[in-house]
Amino acid sequence: MTDAAPAAPRPLIDSNDSRRPHGLLLVAIPVFLVAWLVIWPIINAIGRTLWRPDATGALGFNLNSYVFFFSDQYSINNLTITLWTTLVCAIVLLAICLPISLYLRFSHGKLPAYVQAMAIFPMFVPSIILAYAFIRVLGPNGMVDILLNSVGLPKIRTPYLTPWGPVIGLVWDNIPLTVLILLSGLGNVANQAIEAARDVGANRFQVFWHIILPRISNSVLVAISFAVLGIFSSFTLPYLLGPASPEMMGPFMNRTFREVNDPLNAITQAVITFCFCIAFGLFYVRSVARNQGK
Amino acid sequence: MRRATGADPVRQSGMRRDAASAIGDVKRGGRPGRHDGRKNMKRRDFMISAAGVVAGSALLPRMSFAAEGVIDWYTSSDTNILDFWANTVKPAFEAANPGISINLVDAGDGAGIIAIGERAMAAKEQGADPQADFFESGDALLPSGAIEAGVYANIKEAGLSNYAKVNPLAIESDYSLPYRGSQVLLAYDSTKLSAADAPKNWDDLVTWIKANPGQFVYNRPDKGGSGGNFVRRAIHQANGLDPAVFTVDNYTEEFGNEALTKAWDILSDIAPSLYDNGAYSSGNTQSIQLLSQGVVTMTPVWSDQVLQAISQGVLPENTGLVQLQDLALAGGFTRSIVIENGVNRDASLKLADFILSEEIQSAILTELGGFPGVSWDYVSPELRERFADIVPTSIPTFPGGDWAGAINDGWYRNVAPNVDRNS
């Protein structure tokens, strides 16, 4: 491109060598920040939990804090509830968001616009507000109970301060991102492909299963890994809506660090949480890499 | 901040403030046109450097200098305290001392105050201006070395005219001034429980909780001082009702296990009779919310917080308040600190003297719902009469230090999980 005739219009994307340092400079700031504020603390945390002084004061390789975590039933319970919450949230999110996205993709008119606005709305609500609204509505003697009572029905078993409290809150909080990602994935599904399938007699489910799903599987993976990453390490909603015990890893880490004054175990919990998150993160990276390879 | 114990600050609000970091907007460079390549590059260079300057100037610390006559005041307390200062103390002090004003700054939490204390120490070393004069709530021992460095003013020696009135039990250090206290009370719904039947000692309370399953809730001990001090009251109960058994430096694992295990037994015993078969709210506010929604009949509350809730209509006028008479629920004092090397040291000492005056000490009782920092003898008889019900003969405290960690960890491991909530 560089040796194009002088009369030719300049290409929109200029690969002129003299511009490259600017590009690298622009990238350098985020790369530096990530290395400084994310990568370095990770290495530091892993190092500090693995190489530390033993009883005699000699610095050495020491897995004690990890052994303690995995032999401590209380910590295991907290990890289990975190995995359970994450899994349940992921399933419920898909079950809610896939139909919404399909509806938004294939409908026209005014109503879908309202539905979309409703689906995106949680993005603008801070989770603390959400938590208190949740307590007022679904909490004991909340709005739902009052409405049920007014028509003579019994009260609901409130999810407040049970493991279902964070699940409901986190699902609601994650709907916008999931819907947006799925919707962008559905943009890749050509109407012609669906019409062609209909022409050869495919019913709605077959169209979904054989035409739509293979094309959006990547988006589903991305949406789920995004949601799962956020949910696994969430803090505010499990803190305000969840039970005192077992607690999710976010509140558990924070409490161990601040209230129990036990930085070593808090960092160990953080490293373990990070290992789970990186496993989910690899799904995302793999699917992005696969997508770019196409 | 209300103190859960003598030395351990337990944040009483449900959530911590996030440190919001504001970084200025970086203006986006204009999109280059098609034809004027070189000129464009210059413009792009300019835009990049301009954006850098904008971003850089937003990141630079704002330079400012403390002004003479403006007391830089910091607090780690909650908004009700900040409101009290803004609406009551500040106008009264400024009216009484023309030419001096107070700049009220919220330092967030205890760690925020300590950070400003560290800044004052650094400023002292460099002979610079610490830009701080007065801590509404602080611990003279933190940051460590502040007293030795001469950063905190010796209040005892400063010649305050009202210093002799301070409640001697509350004095912890010559370098801090206990000017208000808070205590935990039991608040109850008086439509469901009459004042005559309200429990007045621990055994009655346990009997009442068991006779009325699901009607009592306390918050997790690390999430707010109301639940925290309820748990500490159980520890006192298990150890002979003697607060002197626990001191800030007598925690050992052996003694801790022995003393606390007995308390965990008491608390586990009542757990199945608590709200939702043993659920614990996640903060002082949430406990009040459960009380206000009529879900529970009784919950421990901070005295100042519940009075504010009543005055704001969150809780009804007829909310009952009761204190255990065998041994009150623990409370604590908030201590103010004057910065020795602050520009307005003398004005700040005037302020310290002013908050011990009868005017402010009475307002702490009537408007804040707290305790006076001065001895009860210096409170007007009429107020003493009015608050007789909730005022204990002593204010037991519980030390912080290693005890706080042991209590917070032990409660979660031994009390919280014991109950099968679905049974």
Side-chain angles (χ1 to χ4, degrees), chain A residues 127-140:
Chain A
S127 36
I128 286 172
I129 309 271
L130 162 62
Y132 279 89
F134 173 102
I135 300 172
R136 306 285 317 213
V137 175
L138 285 174

Side-chain angles (χ1 to χ4, degrees), chain A residues 9-10 12 18-19 22 26 68 72 74-75 128 132 135-136 139-142 157-158 160-162 235 238-245 247 252 254-255 258-261, chain B residues 13-16 31 33-35 37 41 44-45 48 109 220 222-223 275-276 279-282 285-286 289-290 293-295 401 404-405 408-409 411-413 416-417 421:
Chain A
R10 221 176 112 248
L12 274 177
S18 68
R19 290 191 175 210
H22 291 305
L26 285 174
F68 172 75
D72 175 33
Y74 185 74
S75 307
I128 286 172
Y132 279 89
I135 300 172
R136 306 285 317 213
N141 290 3
R157 169 74 184 84
T158 173
Y160 178 48
L161 299 180
T162 74
F235 177 78
Y239 174 89
L240 287 170
L241 301 177
S245 164
E247 48 192 336
F252 183 39
N254 183 287
R255 192 171 65 76
R258 281 190 74 132
E259 261 77 48
V260 187
N261 296 322
Chain B
S13 69
M15 63 233 81
R16 290 187 187 82
R31 200 185 150 86
R34 275 182 164 210
H35 300 292
M41 245 178 75
R44 199 158 117 171
D45 284 345
I48 289 170
D109 57 8
R220 303 163 202 175
D222 60 319
K223 305 285 190 254
Y275 162 68
D276 206 9
Y280 303 93
S281 57
S282 50
T285 320
Q286 287 89 326
Q289 196 172 19
L290 287 174
Q293 285 180 208
V295 180
N408 290 334
D409 198 40
W411 184 87
Y412 273 86
R413 288 176 178 274
R421 304 248 318 267

Side-chain angles (χ1 to χ4, degrees), chain A residues 78 103 196 291:
Chain A
N78 289 345
Y103 170 76
N291 213 18

Side-chain angles (χ1 to χ4, degrees), chain A residues 20 33 45 55 66-67 70 106 122 126 184 198 200 231 235 242-243 283:
Chain A
R20 285 209 174 132
L33 283 177
Y66 293 90
V67 172
F70 286 106
F106 295 109
S184 79
R198 286 245 171 92
V200 293
I231 291 167
F235 177 78
F283 273 111

Side-chain angles (χ1 to χ4, degrees), chain B residues 146-343:
Chain B
I147 293 175
E148 291 75 18
V151 169
Y152 292 163
N154 187 330
I155 301 212
K156 189 183 179 187
E157 309 278 302
L160 303 188
S161 62
N162 291 323
Y163 190 77
K165 296 182 190 169
V166 174
N167 188 340
L169 290 172
I171 293 175
E172 199 179 62
S173 158
D174 292 346
Y175 295 85
S176 61
L177 178 70
Y179 86 98
R180 66 177 172 91
S182 295
Q183 74 176 136
V184 174
L185 305 164
L186 298 170
Y188 59 91
D189 183 342
S190 60
T191 59
K192 296 187 201 158
L193 177 68
S194 71
D197 297 335
K200 302 235 168 28
N201 61 50
W202 180 268
D203 292 332
D204 287 355
L205 176 63
V206 170
T207 312
W208 183 86
I209 290 172
K210 287 185 174 172
N212 299 277
Q215 294 301 311
F216 188 85
V217 72
Y218 68 93
N219 70 264
R220 303 163 202 175
D222 60 319
K223 305 285 190 254
S226 66
N229 283 328
F230 179 79
V231 168
R232 283 162 175 81
R233 178 63 181 80
I235 298 170
H236 283 149
Q237 184 71 23
N239 291 279
L241 289 178
D242 183 9
V245 168
F246 304 96
T247 63
V248 71
D249 49 9
N250 76 345
Y251 176 82
T252 60
E253 202 170 329
E254 196 190 346
F255 178 41
N257 281 341
E258 185 210 317
L260 297 182
T261 306
K262 289 185 276 180
W264 304 150
D265 291 344
I266 293 179
L267 291 170
S268 300
D269 179 46
I270 60 169
S273 310
L274 297 179
Y275 162 68
D276 206 9
N277 305 324
Y280 303 93
S281 57
S282 50
N284 301 329
T285 320
Q286 287 89 326
S287 295
I288 289 181
Q289 196 172 19
L290 287 174
L291 181 65
S292 74
Q293 285 180 208
V295 180
V296 296
T297 306
M298 192 189 292
T299 182
V301 288
W302 279 110
S303 56
D304 52 346
Q305 207 172 20
V306 72
L307 290 190
Q308 194 180 41
I310 292 171
S311 72
Q312 289 176 346
V314 175
L315 287 172
E317 285 278 326
N318 58 4
T319 302
L321 297 173
V322 65
Q323 180 58 271
L324 298 183
Q325 298 300 321
D326 46 349
L327 178 70
L329 292 155
F333 285 92
T334 298
R335 297 176 174 86
S336 290
I337 288 174
V338 170
I339 308 293
E340 178 75 27
N341 55 330
V343 173

